[in-house]
């Protein structure tokens, strides 16, 4: 779990010598890609025409045909085996039936007995076993093969190659059924992050982070492909189960507005100190846009303008997790069992016994055990269980604090 802005800033401040030494060592080393380990995995698997790291052209844009070729190859490797129906048993032939016909005449004393043996003819039904749909033999040739593709398009094709398009559609449909306005990429971005296909670059390399609309690089594609090669069948099935059971509660108008703003940013990258949808420079590093965990909440509650919001923008005063969690009096802290949609939730080293200075992560509760946050995979949906339920500290309710209850 990533640490929050204050902790990372303190670490940089305490060890400037180490940071400078590391930078000097990096500058003298032979340039290589951040995705070198994943490129080696891809090369070993015979994907992306990769031979070695040096010749991979990691920083080049990923083209439409290269993506189609990659998706085709991954599907060939990872597609589930076709289901072959069991053989049809042979028909059961009825036994021979013997019937006796007795004819009696009153004018004579002779009784004639006729015996007829009938063997029924049984025609076996014609059963056609459908052949499994074969995978195509070659990748589809796209119309504009050299056209760069975006990160959202990369995630879409990779999710489809795992046969999880249905799961992506379910996430989108259920969000819209609850009244939330979400972009078309929403479902595939949710699924890609549940699968772990994205990476959070170190803070001093935040310039590498890409938004959903930015052109994807070959390095990002290699990272995702390497992650997919490690997936087990149960991992894919678990994501499909999450999608099948994804149901959102009824929202108030204000909860719907807050969560629409939050869901629209699913897929944005994690940026240390970031609060912006577009370019910004934090701690000397320029990024294309994104948020850290508290910056995401800040963006949703503080920077987004809502008609009739009253004092909502002034409810959150401090910028960090430490400050936001400490602003709410102990008596007003909300426990796990009392959460409502749009509550701001905090996670600490000691769970509910944490002090504000021990709170290192935060997000926004969605309902029915789901929340949205900016974490190692960027802005993503997550289940409030496992580590998150153990480290849950408390929550606060900005809508109520601003008097917005309808």
């Amino acid at each position: 779990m990533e640490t929050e802005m204050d902790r990372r800033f303190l670490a940089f401040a305490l060890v400037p010598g180490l940071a400078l030494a590391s930078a000097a060592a990096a500058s003298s080393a032979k340039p290589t890609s951040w995705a070198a380990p994943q490129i080696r995995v891809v090369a070993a698997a015979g994907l992306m025409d990769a031979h070695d790291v040096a010749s991979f052209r990691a920083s080049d844009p990923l083209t439409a045909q290269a993506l189609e070729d990659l998706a085709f190859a991954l599907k060939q490797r990872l597609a589930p085996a076709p289901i072959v129906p069991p053989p049809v048993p042979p028909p059961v032939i009825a036994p021979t039936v013997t019937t006796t016909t007795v004819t009696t005449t009153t004018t004579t004393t002779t009784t004639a007995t006729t015996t007829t043996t009938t063997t029924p003819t049984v025609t076996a039904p014609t059963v056609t076993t459908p052949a499994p749909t074969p995978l195509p033999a070659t990748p589809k040739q796209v119309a504009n093969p050299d056209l760069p593709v975006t990160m959202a398009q990369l995630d879409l094709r990779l999710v489809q190659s795992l046969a999880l398009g249905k799961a992506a559609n379910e996430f989108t449909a259920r969000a819209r059924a609850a009244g939330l306005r979400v972009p078309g990429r929403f479902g595939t971005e949710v699924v890609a992050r549940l699968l772990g296909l994205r990476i959070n670059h170190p803070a001093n390399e935040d310039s590498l982070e890409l938004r959903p609309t930015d052109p994807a690089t070959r390095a990002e594609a290699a990272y995702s492909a390497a992650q997919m090669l490690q997936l087990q069948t149960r991992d894919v099935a678990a994501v499909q189960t999450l999608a099948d059971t994804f149901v959102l509660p009824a929202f108030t108008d204000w909860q719907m507005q807050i969560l629409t703003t939050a869901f629209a940013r699913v897929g944005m990258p994690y940026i240390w100190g970031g609060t912006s949808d577009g370019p910004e420079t934090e701690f000397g590093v320029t990024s294309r846009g994104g948020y850290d965990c508290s910056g995401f909440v800040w963006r949703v509650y503080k920077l987004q303008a809502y008609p009739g919001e009253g004092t909502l923008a002034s409810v959150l005063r401090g910028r960090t997790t430490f400050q936001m969690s400490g602003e709410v009096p102990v008596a007003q802290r909300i426990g796990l069992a009392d959460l409502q949609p749009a509550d701001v939730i905090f996670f600490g080293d000691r769970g509910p016994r944490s002090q504000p200075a021990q709170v290192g992560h935060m997000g926004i509760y969605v309902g029915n055990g789901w929340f949205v946050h900016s974490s190692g995979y960027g802005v993503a949906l997550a289940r409030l269980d496992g580590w998150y339920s153990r480290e849950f500290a408390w929550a606060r309710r900005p809508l109520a604090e601003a008097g917005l209850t309808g």
Side-chain angles (χ1 to χ4, degrees):
M1 179 54 56
E2 81 284 1
T3 54
E4 180 48 26
M5 183 174 66
D6 288 52
R7 292 178 178 173
R8 295 172 76 174
F9 179 76
L10 180 62
F12 271 74
L14 290 177
V15 287
L18 179 60
L20 291 175
S22 299
S27 63
S28 61
K30 182 179 180 180
T32 188
S33 170
W34 62 266
Q38 291 76 29
I39 293 171
R40 295 187 186 99
V41 171
V42 167
L47 301 175
M48 299 185 71
D49 294 326
H51 303 289
D52 52 51
V53 176
S55 62
F56 186 72
R57 308 186 320 279
S59 299
D60 283 5
L62 180 69
T63 63
Q65 190 60 57
L67 173 57
E68 194 61 35
D69 294 347
L70 175 61
F72 170 82
L74 287 170
K75 188 171 184 178
Q76 293 280 342
R77 286 172 171 269
L78 305 174
I83 299 175
V84 179
V88 178
V92 177
I93 307 299
T96 299
V97 179
T98 301
T99 60
T100 301
T101 305
V102 178
T103 306
T104 302
T105 10
T106 57
T107 57
T108 66
T109 59
T110 303
T111 301
T113 301
T114 304
T115 301
T116 305
T117 301
T118 305
T119 302
T121 302
V122 179
T123 303
T126 302
V127 179
T128 303
T129 301
T133 302
L135 293 173
T138 58
K140 181 181 73 174
Q141 299 302 301
V142 299
N144 298 296
D146 297 326
L147 187 70
V149 298
T150 65
M151 290 295 292
Q153 290 171 318
L154 169 62
D155 286 342
L156 171 63
R157 288 299 288 121
L158 296 184
V159 166
Q160 290 174 337
S161 69
L162 287 170
L164 284 173
K166 174 177 177 286
N169 292 338
E170 286 176 325
F171 279 114
T172 300
R174 305 272 171 76
R176 288 174 175 168
L180 303 180
R181 299 183 302 277
V182 298
R185 69 172 191 271
F186 174 78
T188 50
E189 297 297 333
V190 169
V191 171
R193 279 148 187 79
L194 289 172
L195 291 168
L197 301 188
R198 294 274 66 82
I199 185 175
N200 175 34
H201 296 283
N204 62 347
E205 297 178 0
D206 274 344
S207 59
L208 294 172
E209 297 286 2
L210 299 174
R211 299 167 299 178
T213 55
D214 288 327
T217 63
R218 287 173 55 82
E220 292 285 353
Y223 178 86
S224 297
Q227 292 295 98
M228 289 175 64
L229 291 173
Q230 299 179 51
L231 291 174
Q232 303 294 319
T233 303
R234 63 177 178 269
D235 300 322
V236 177
V239 172
Q240 184 62 62
T241 299
L242 287 174
D244 292 341
T245 57
F246 180 66
V247 179
L248 296 177
F251 299 129
T252 67
D253 289 344
W254 275 108
Q255 290 169 347
M256 200 176 302
Q257 290 187 63
I258 295 298
L259 293 176
T260 288
T261 300
F263 275 31
R265 282 151 185 83
V266 167
M268 288 288 284
Y270 181 96
I271 298 293
W272 179 36
T275 61
S276 174
D277 301 343
E280 64 178 329
T281 300
E282 295 290 344
F283 306 107
V285 179
T286 299
S287 69
R288 294 170 178 80
Y291 336 91
D292 60 16
C293 66
S294 58
F296 171 62
V297 176
W298 188 265
R299 171 65 183 84
V300 172
Y301 269 105
K302 192 86 171 179
L303 302 183
Q304 182 72 23
Y306 301 99
E309 66 179 15
T311 61
L312 181 62
S314 62
V315 166
L316 301 178
R317 300 182 296 277
R319 167 63 181 80
T320 68
T321 56
F322 312 148
Q323 294 167 327
M324 291 190 206
S325 62
E327 290 169 357
V328 57
V330 174
Q332 296 180 22
R333 293 176 181 176
I334 299 168
L336 185 63
D338 298 317
L339 290 175
Q340 293 182 11
D343 285 351
V344 174
I345 55 180
F346 302 100
F347 304 90
D349 297 338
R350 301 179 62 209
R353 299 187 302 277
S354 301
Q355 297 297 316
Q358 296 172 307
V359 173
H361 190 56
M362 63 189 299
I364 299 173
Y365 188 63
V366 174
N368 290 348
W370 289 89
F371 71 105
V372 59
H373 64 151
S374 184
S375 187
Y377 300 133
V379 181
L381 283 186
R383 292 289 300 167
L384 187 50
D385 55 18
W387 184 94
Y388 294 112
S389 63
R390 294 191 299 271
E391 300 285 317
F392 176 85
W394 59 83
R396 62 185 292 186
R397 193 161 292 152
L399 289 177
E401 293 175 46
L404 304 172
T405 57

